[in-house]
Amino acid sequence: MMQFMLLFSRQGKLRLQKWYEAYPDKIKKKITRELISTILTRKPKMSSFLEWKDLKIVYKRYASLYFCCAIEQDDNELLTLEVIHRYVELLDKYFGSVCELDIIFNFEKAYFMLDELMVGGEVCETSKKSVLKAIAAQDLLQEDEAVEGALREIGLY
Amino acid sequence: MPAVRGDGMRGLAVFISDIRNCKSKEAEVKRINKELANIRSKFKGDKTLDGYQKKKYVCKLLFIFLLGHDIDFGHMEAVNLLSSNKYTEKQIGYLFISVLVNTNSDLIKLIVQSIKNDLGSRNPVHVNLALQCIANIGSKEMADAFGNDIPKLLVSGETMDVVKQSAALCLLRLFRTTQEIIPGGEWTSRIIHLLNDQHMGVVTAACSLIEALVKKNPDEYKGCVSLAVSRLSRIVTASYTDLQDYTYYFVPAPWLSVKLLRLLQHYPPPEDPGVRGRLNECLDTILNKAQEPPKSKKVQHSNAKNAVLFEAISIIIHSDSEPNLLVRACNQLGQFLSHRETNLRYLALETMCLLATSEFSHEAVKKHQETVINALKTERDVSVRQRAVDLLYAMCDRSNAEEIVQEMLNYLETADYSIREEMVLKVAILAEKYAQDYTWYVDVILNLIRIAGDYVSEEVWYRVIQIVVNREDVQGYAAKTVFEALQAPACHENMVKVGGYILGEFGNLIAGDSRSAPAVQFQLLHSKYHLCSPGTRALLLTTYIKFINLFPEIKGQIQEVLKSNSNLRSSDAELQQRASEYLHLSITTTTDVLATVLEEMPPFTEKESSILAVLKKKSGRMSAQEAQKEARVQARENNAVPALEKVQNAQLNNSTSADLLGLSTPPATQNNNQSNTGVLVDVLGDLYGGSNSNTHNGTSSSPSLTSSGAVDNIKKFVCKNNGVLYENDIIQIGIKSEFRQNLGRIGVFYGNKTSMPLQGFTPAVSVGPGQQGKVTVQVKPVEPSVDAGAQVQQLVNCECVEDFNGLPDLSVSFTYGNVPQRLALRLPLSCNKFFEPTDMNGESFFARWKNLSAPAQEAQKIFKATSPMENASIKTKLLGFGMQLLEGIDPNPDNYVCAAIIHTRTQQIGCLLRLEPNRQAEMYRLTIRASKESTSSILAELLAEQF
């Protein structure tokens, strides 16, 4: 089971955090700080895996963003790299060549997308099409509500 | 500002831009505080906010939280959003709750109703929101509130696939906090059959759930094995176009494949030859595919394909039964050792460690020794080098030990500081374990001190001294070698300690050579004295007094040193005391007395190498897998030790009364040796398991050896109800119990003796085959953590349904300093606890005794006394056993007779006892008659071990 996922920039700024295991806020901050500084000091050719306490850390850098997951001993490191990649693909498809700014300004969308891919720390849906379809359905609801709102404003609804 | 999708919240985007434009941290904080004040006033204001505004402000709070600031308000507004009829508002409400609410129970009560409404919604998008939220919080309250709804949602024919997926994983999350949530019975097969579902997404999600259920209860879910194998077989043989969007970079369904392979690892290889054949075919195909040219150059293709491959290798190692597959796996990993992807090299090294422990593939792994040594020298990533060290350690055996130890020593000179200490321990263990020639062992350890003295822990240098003291053949060599090592201008303090001790004991063996004459030895040691810490100086003072005994000719010289102000008036009390006592010892006593006092140290007695225990403690990443690895290394070692070796060991045991190489002797032998050596061990020994040492109370197959000094008193509890059940360095377990009629209550007290909390603390009681259905135990849960120095109590309620055999198991597992611990103990709940003493006169006793004369009603045991046959202690034991002692009834005043009734739920069993001691022969004869046939032998069995 994945324990948490962190997204942070090369400057060490946290952009997204998702915790699948309950930790107190203080511990969360401590873990985040430690991991960010550990990973940022690693060199490009190093392995994407490290042992950390009793967890395995899997991370990968995409442009200016690091994606970092903590998994348990029984979990598969290589496939976790591909969970990250699938998530990046989804973000990319949705935003159209995603960049760090998209995630900053639309962080809620990034969360919604992750919730479709993973539930409770396990992979839920691996099909790119299905996830995008679910997100599109959400957007459709959102647009309907927007139109409805606009109509109400001018007294037509 | 990039485009915002959907009906973006403009205010939010402006705020985010503002923050990004802040030039300094102070400016950012100022802007945030302004915004927080604004939001607070909006939320407090009289004017009611509409949904959109609430959503926008809640979103801003979320953003501020994500920047790392604490948020202490807005929760109520977020809760309100949950019941909005607008999806976007609801969604933001849920997001806020899933990000900010941990397990704050007050708030959770408020949201349960909203979640319930959404869970019942017709719109699958709403249902999924609710499920994701439950999975996110995953608390006990959630399990209580939705434990009924979610399983139904999962198996109902009307549920849409997307909802089923979330429901499966949501249920899994709740199962992890509250195991009772999964209904048993017919649900089991309905859940298992999700593996046959048409929809790949549903199968993937369900497979995670089933894996967790299997882990808890493998027998109940056994049916999933054949389904999982056939599903796997279909995927493995599918072409990459068959599975459409579930093919990932030309690899068919890698996530599901990995999950299925993981699931199967919880079972032994399938018994059904058809299923087993099919599984092996799958594994074969996966190994074949690894050899095919890649269908894509992309790393995603290779990762997904190899993820499946590694999982397949993992199951091959786990079954450890197909030599052909094991060797193929090993060859495949061998190829990866020189792959250009660092990740693959890392994983190959790690997985090979496990292969090295299998007797089928150990030799195949050894073929790659050169490559692994090379990795140690050339890998640029320390975590990969660490893996190489681990693998060298795992692949080491008698044939390659010298080479591997030498390579590790070479590497140690330049090794990263972070792994030196662990490496030192590993080298020390290998050198000891595989030493054929103890001069080599001494050389290795002295080299360790020379190269990495700072990282040589006490255990390591204690150990070399123990071995030298115990082995006469190496003492002269050791003395010569330390003498040479001490001549280096700068030598490590640990070297001085070892040198001081060894020369003090065996310096006479090299004193014949003028180059190492007594005075030279003394001068050499004393030249280091002033550079050393007080602890080492104290050790050297002892060496000096030993020298006075060994070499009377330098007595004057040494007395001068002892007399010197820096010693006799040292500010260190210990040094002062030693100097003055040793000085007077040398002045006042005769040489005979001196020789007796300062005689050579007797051999050390030893059970097992203390270094191994330290290594296990040190490497914080000791997982269950590591433990398995270690256990398998041990098992292979024991098999691999040639017969001759065993004979030698046995002789060695006899001659020196201690096993120096605790590691290379099968543990069973050690146990036998121990139990022969003293009565004490017997008293604490195994009561119920006969000669099988596995049923011993204590740490069994535990990854850690912290059971040092463990005392297990289970046997004593047959005749008492309160006291300390078990104790080791970490934990003390006490028992207070009371019984009335057929009911009982046992209080188990767990005391943490350490200064660190015990995490993941889970004591579990389970009844064995002898008690199944005959006694019920109800265990109250305890907190999962025991604080440093604290004690927690656990209540166990029990009821005797009918007479039963043996004792229930009490298994206590927890993590101490990252090292998982497991204690396999017994709960002191035996059949005799439900006795009610019964008084009667001689006449009625003998009348009843005659009534119970059917052969099966009587059990008799004749046994030798193991403790003094004192009247008082025998009486105490019989009373403690729970029976009424009837005095003056038996014609022979030496005999004891007792009577009692066992209360069970279904009946009362009358029991009579007669114990006849024979003091000349130191034997007892115990006769028990009971109204129920099975009972008499159970009681005789229990009581016979007590005298």
Side-chain angles (χ1 to χ4, degrees):
Chain A
M1 170 193 170
M2 189 182 290
Q3 298 254 328
F4 55 83
M5 185 192 261
L6 304 175
L7 265 67
F8 53 89
S9 70
R10 264 166 71 193
Q11 288 73 38
K13 282 218 185 257
L14 190 61
R15 294 304 181 202
L16 204 77
Q17 46 174 325
K18 181 80 184 179
W19 301 81
Y20 294 107
E21 189 66 42
Y23 291 93
D25 281 344
K26 252 196 190 149
I27 306 288
K28 283 186 188 172
K29 281 190 180 163
K30 187 162 167 276
I31 293 176
T32 311
R33 255 198 327 269
E34 274 181 42
L35 276 180
I36 291 180
S37 69
T38 310
I39 290 173
L40 287 179
T41 52
R42 287 177 64 87
K43 302 199 175 62
K45 282 275 174 183
M46 288 186 164
S47 89
S48 312
F49 316 131
L50 36 133
E51 296 199 310
W52 192 76
K53 317 239 156 116
D54 53 349
L55 297 175
K56 302 196 276 197
I57 303 294
V58 177
Y59 71 93
K60 184 157 179 171
R61 186 179 142 185
Y62 286 86
S64 62
L65 267 191
Y66 282 88
F67 290 71
C68 159
C69 303
I71 54 174
E72 291 172 352
Q73 289 299 330
D74 280 353
D75 293 319
N76 192 306
E77 294 98 331
L78 285 173
L79 214 50
T80 306
L81 275 180
E82 297 318 302
V83 170
I84 294 177
H85 187 73
R86 176 106 298 179
Y87 184 43
V88 173
E89 281 183 346
L90 288 167
L91 292 169
D92 205 56
K93 194 89 186 164
Y94 184 77
F95 289 109
S97 86
V98 65
C99 66
E100 193 183 336
L101 279 186
D102 289 319
I103 294 175
I104 298 173
F105 278 93
N106 300 285
F107 65 91
E108 77 283 9
K109 276 286 169 208
Y111 270 113
F112 299 151
M113 204 110 53
L114 188 56
D115 280 343
E116 294 296 324
L117 180 65
M118 311 262 311
V119 172
E122 301 280 353
V123 169
C124 181
E125 178 54 87
T126 65
S127 154
K128 196 156 63 174
K129 270 188 204 147
S130 305
V131 174
L132 290 171
K133 215 169 86 189
I135 296 290
Q138 291 176 12
D139 280 352
L140 199 67
L141 280 173
Q142 189 175 329
E143 271 159 38
D144 286 352
E145 283 166 11
V147 170
E148 199 180 295
L151 290 176
R152 184 181 288 132
E153 243 162 58
I154 53 171
L156 282 176
Y157 192 79
Chain B
M1 204 191 316
V4 179
R5 301 284 302 244
D7 81 328
M9 290 159 276
R10 219 187 126 62
L12 174 67
V14 169
F15 174 59
I16 296 176
S17 292
D18 280 2
I19 296 286
R20 290 182 50 77
N21 290 334
C22 286
K23 294 273 183 292
S24 65
K25 189 81 197 160
E26 291 73 36
E28 184 186 308
V29 172
K30 212 173 147 197
R31 178 68 185 87
I32 285 170
N33 284 337
K34 186 180 152 204
E35 192 63 39
L36 284 174
N38 174 39
I39 298 171
R40 214 185 289 264
S41 76
K42 292 279 188 210
F43 282 168
K44 273 192 184 154
D46 304 328
K47 201 172 59 140
T48 45
L49 297 171
D50 66 16
Y52 170 77
Q53 282 171 309
K54 262 190 221 157
K55 174 177 97 172
K56 184 178 75 184
Y57 292 130
V58 165
C59 235
K60 282 184 179 177
L61 287 179
L62 252 175
F63 183 78
I64 295 171
F65 176 77
L66 291 175
L67 286 174
H69 300 264
D70 294 330
I71 296 295
D72 52 7
F73 69 103
H75 298 74
M76 282 317 296
E77 285 72 15
V79 170
N80 286 340
L81 284 177
L82 290 190
S83 46
S84 161
N85 54 9
K86 288 212 173 71
Y87 177 73
T88 49
E89 289 164 16
K90 194 189 274 296
Q91 202 180 17
I92 295 294
Y94 273 118
L95 179 61
F96 184 92
I97 285 173
S98 71
V99 173
L100 266 105
V101 177
N102 248 343
T103 29
N104 178 344
S105 55
D106 292 345
L107 214 57
I108 284 174
K109 281 185 202 107
L110 295 173
I111 60 178
V112 163
Q113 192 50 47
S114 304
I115 296 180
K116 218 163 204 144
N117 294 342
D118 285 330
L119 212 51
S121 159
R122 292 169 160 275
N123 189 340
V125 181
H126 287 211
V127 183
N128 262 356
L129 266 186
L131 287 170
Q132 286 160 3
C133 179
I134 300 170
N136 243 311
I137 298 172
S139 65
K140 175 111 179 36
E141 285 96 335
M142 287 289 149
D144 292 344
F146 304 108
N148 281 331
D149 304 335
I150 299 173
K152 280 183 202 143
L153 213 51
L154 177 60
V155 295
S156 158
E158 286 163 26
T159 311
M160 290 181 66
D161 290 331
V162 277
V163 174
K164 270 193 188 172
Q165 285 166 269
S166 306
L169 295 175
C170 185
L171 194 56
L172 165 58
R173 181 72 184 84
L174 295 182
F175 173 71
R176 287 194 170 122
T177 38
T178 314
Q179 307 224 319
E180 304 77 54
I181 192 171
I182 302 284
E186 53 151 348
W187 289 86
T188 305
S189 99
R190 294 173 80 172
I191 292 177
I192 289 175
H193 276 87
L194 287 170
L195 287 176
N196 271 344
D197 201 282
Q198 298 267 308
H199 191 279
M200 292 287 277
V202 173
V203 189
T204 311
C207 201
S208 295
L209 172 66
I210 295 171
E211 196 216 326
L213 297 175
V214 159
K215 229 188 249 176
K216 174 90 197 316
N217 200 344
D219 281 343
E220 190 177 344
Y221 288 87
K222 222 165 32 197
C224 72
V225 172
S226 63
L227 290 184
V229 170
S230 54
R231 190 90 210 195
L232 180 68
S233 165
R234 267 182 281 161
I235 298 171
V236 169
T237 52
S239 87
Y240 62 84
T241 48
D242 289 357
L243 299 170
Q244 292 157 351
D245 214 27
Y246 290 91
T247 294
Y248 181 83
Y249 289 86
F250 304 101
V251 182
W255 277 278
L256 182 53
S257 308
V258 164
K259 279 280 166 209
L260 290 167
L261 287 163
R262 223 344 103 191
L263 173 65
L264 292 168
Q265 284 173 59
H266 294 294
Y267 291 98
E271 281 162 23
D272 179 336
V275 179
R276 189 177 175 144
R278 226 153 148 206
L279 175 58
N280 284 344
E281 259 168 44
C282 289
L283 299 173
D284 218 46
T285 313
I286 294 171
L287 284 169
N288 286 340
K289 278 191 180 171
Q291 291 297 324
E292 288 170 13
K295 293 198 170 62
S296 154
K297 284 213 169 70
K298 288 225 164 77
V299 67
Q300 284 75 30
H301 172 67
S302 129
N303 279 352
K305 188 167 144 182
N306 291 326
V308 178
L309 175 66
F310 273 104
E311 215 57 57
I313 291 177
S314 176
I315 197 170
I316 290 170
I317 295 172
H318 172 78
S319 350
D320 200 17
S321 58
E322 305 283 340
N324 168 41
L325 289 175
L326 279 161
V327 171
R328 284 191 66 191
C330 186
N331 294 339
Q332 181 62 52
L333 293 176
Q335 290 180 16
F336 286 157
L337 287 183
S338 37
H339 201 280
R340 67 189 161 79
E341 277 277 326
T342 314
N343 289 343
L344 283 181
R345 296 198 302 275
Y346 176 98
L347 293 175
L349 287 166
E350 183 179 66
T351 311
M352 261 201 178
C353 277
L354 282 172
L355 277 175
T357 62
S358 163
E359 55 175 316
F360 301 116
S361 50
H362 182 75
E363 288 303 316
V365 171
K366 275 166 66 183
K367 287 192 194 127
H368 302 286
Q369 190 175 321
E370 279 312 305
T371 323
V372 182
I373 288 172
N374 205 33
L376 200 57
K377 292 174 180 161
T378 57
E379 282 291 350
R380 277 185 289 174
D381 183 351
V382 54
S383 45
V384 183
R385 290 196 295 270
Q386 163 91 59
R387 290 279 151 276
V389 170
D390 290 350
L391 178 52
L392 283 178
Y393 178 72
M395 67 160 70
C396 191
D397 62 22
R398 215 159 278 268
S399 71
N400 55 13
E402 289 207 16
E403 196 183 338
I404 285 181
V405 165
Q406 190 52 50
E407 289 294 348
M408 284 171 84
L409 278 174
N410 293 346
Y411 173 58
L412 195 53
E413 304 210 27
T414 53
D416 309 74
Y417 296 112
S418 56
I419 63 175
R420 281 195 185 185
E421 186 169 0
E422 196 182 316
M423 278 197 74
V424 167
L425 290 171
K426 285 187 162 155
V427 171
I429 290 169
L430 291 178
E432 178 182 338
K433 196 158 150 188
Y434 298 116
Q436 278 155 323
D437 170 4
Y438 277 86
T439 59
W440 173 72
Y441 169 75
V442 170
D443 285 340
V444 169
I445 302 296
L446 294 187
N447 267 327
L448 271 183
I449 297 176
R450 201 175 296 139
I451 297 168
D454 283 345
Y455 299 90
V456 172
S457 58
E458 287 189 334
E459 290 81 3
V460 173
W461 73 262
Y462 287 174
R463 189 72 187 151
V464 68
I465 285 174
Q466 284 174 11
I467 286 181
V468 171
V469 167
N470 287 10
R471 295 198 68 103
E472 221 170 290
D473 54 338
V474 80
Q475 289 162 353
Y477 180 80
K480 182 166 157 281
T481 321
V482 289
F483 179 77
E484 281 162 10
L486 284 171
Q487 282 168 328
C491 68
H492 196 272
E493 191 164 338
N494 280 335
M495 189 69 89
V496 179
K497 289 179 188 162
V498 175
Y501 195 101
I502 288 180
L503 290 180
E505 293 292 318
F506 311 112
N508 55 328
L509 299 176
I510 56 167
D513 188 330
S514 62
R515 284 166 298 178
S516 51
V520 183
Q521 286 186 35
F522 173 66
Q523 290 303 341
L524 181 61
L525 278 177
H526 199 57
S527 69
K528 317 280 180 197
Y529 186 83
H530 301 283
L531 304 169
C532 291
S533 64
T536 308
R537 289 188 194 187
L539 187 150
L540 285 179
L541 288 180
T542 307
T543 304
Y544 297 168
I545 186 74
K546 289 228 158 193
F547 273 174
I548 290 184
N549 176 43
L550 290 179
F551 314 125
E553 64 267 36
I554 57 169
K555 183 172 173 181
Q557 231 177 318
I558 292 172
Q559 283 176 336
E560 280 312 307
V561 170
L562 294 176
K563 267 185 226 162
S564 74
N565 274 344
S566 60
N567 286 324
L568 214 47
R569 295 175 188 196
S570 167
S571 59
D572 186 298
E574 177 67 26
L575 290 181
Q576 201 184 87
Q577 187 175 359
R578 284 198 189 201
S580 98
E581 285 178 3
Y582 289 163
L583 181 63
H584 284 92
L585 186 68
S586 72
I587 294 171
T588 51
T589 54
T590 63
T591 44
D592 281 355
V593 173
L594 205 59
T596 315
V597 172
L598 300 170
E599 205 180 359
E600 199 176 292
M601 292 296 284
F604 289 87
T605 52
E606 174 109 32
K607 288 158 208 157
E608 77 152 293
S609 169
S610 46
I611 310 181
L612 195 59
V614 177
L615 174 65
K616 287 171 180 175
K617 236 184 211 170
K618 280 270 152 43
S619 50
R621 54 201 170 68
M622 192 75 181
S623 58
Q625 202 186 28
E626 290 260 325
Q628 181 198 354
K629 191 161 82 189
E630 199 60 51
R632 286 171 55 158
V633 171
Q634 295 278 347
R636 185 176 59 73
E637 285 308 323
N638 292 338
N639 290 337
V641 177
L644 181 66
E645 194 69 31
K646 282 185 185 159
V647 174
Q648 281 173 347
N649 273 334
Q651 286 168 347
L652 205 129
N653 285 340
N654 291 339
S655 59
T656 59
S657 85
D659 174 20
L660 305 179
L661 281 175
L663 287 163
S664 57
T665 326
T669 322
Q670 289 173 23
N671 279 344
N672 292 343
N673 286 345
Q674 278 173 30
S675 49
N676 291 340
T677 51
V679 189
L680 183 66
V681 185
D682 275 340
V683 172
L684 304 178
D686 176 23
L687 172 54
Y688 299 102
S691 62
N692 184 357
S693 62
N694 287 338
T695 53
H696 239 287
N697 264 2
T699 34
S700 69
S701 67
S702 146
S704 164
L705 293 180
T706 37
S707 62
S708 55
V711 177
D712 176 14
N713 296 323
I714 183 69
K715 198 171 150 182
K716 293 183 181 161
F717 278 83
V718 169
C719 291
K720 67 175 186 177
N721 285 341
N722 304 325
V724 174
L725 174 67
Y726 176 84
E727 177 157 29
N728 65 13
D729 294 342
I730 300 175
I731 194 169
Q732 185 192 56
I733 303 178
I735 295 287
K736 258 189 182 169
S737 47
E738 51 182 346
F739 297 88
R740 195 155 298 155
Q741 305 273 326
N742 61 328
L743 299 176
R745 187 162 65 176
I746 305 177
V748 189
F749 296 80
Y750 304 96
N752 179 355
K753 292 168 65 178
T754 70
S755 54
M756 285 206 288
L758 307 179
Q759 307 283 9
F761 192 81
T762 35
V765 173
S766 58
V767 292
Q771 307 107 46
Q772 196 77 52
K774 299 176 178 173
V775 60
T776 60
V777 282
Q778 228 183 11
V779 187
K780 297 268 156 70
V782 290
E783 289 294 317
S785 161
V786 185
D787 289 342
Q791 190 186 53
V792 297
Q793 179 187 3
Q794 181 175 41
L795 277 184
V796 180
N797 289 324
C798 42
E799 185 189 5
C800 179
V801 180
E802 56 177 285
D803 57 336
F804 61 94
N805 205 349
L807 308 176
D809 290 316
L810 168 65
S811 133
V812 184
S813 52
F814 54 87
T815 319
Y816 169 66
N818 277 332
V819 185
Q821 309 272 345
R822 222 182 89 81
L823 304 175
L825 306 171
R826 302 294 185 102
L827 190 70
L829 173 62
S830 46
C831 195
N832 63 302
K833 297 294 177 198
F834 301 95
F835 265 139
E836 186 195 342
T838 319
D839 207 351
M840 57 182 77
N841 59 27
E843 199 179 290
S844 70
F845 179 86
F846 285 110
R848 285 164 206 251
W849 185 263
K850 278 192 194 106
N851 267 341
L852 302 173
S853 58
Q857 287 176 324
E858 181 186 279
Q860 192 169 73
K861 272 193 169 283
I862 298 172
F863 51 91
K864 196 147 183 69
T866 51
S867 53
M869 301 174 79
E870 285 160 14
N871 186 25
S873 81
I874 295 173
K875 276 187 185 168
T876 314
K877 281 175 187 165
L878 289 172
L879 289 172
F881 193 57
M883 300 187 82
Q884 180 74 45
L885 190 60
L886 307 171
E887 305 208 53
I889 287 184
D890 198 282
N892 180 348
D894 267 347
N895 292 350
Y896 304 86
V897 295
C898 304
I901 293 172
I902 293 183
H903 289 273
T904 73
R905 186 196 291 167
T906 46
Q907 64 181 131
Q908 297 192 348
I909 306 167
C911 306
L912 304 173
L913 169 150
R914 189 179 198 196
L915 181 68
E916 302 160 77
N918 177 341
R919 288 180 211 273
Q920 277 84 43
E922 294 186 325
M923 301 281 285
Y924 288 101
R925 180 163 70 188
L926 171 68
T927 315
I928 292 182
R929 290 187 176 182
S931 61
K932 187 163 184 237
E933 296 180 352
S934 51
T935 313
S936 45
S937 58
I938 292 175
L939 294 174
E941 208 63 55
L942 280 171
L943 191 59
E945 310 258 352
Q946 296 296 318
F947 296 97

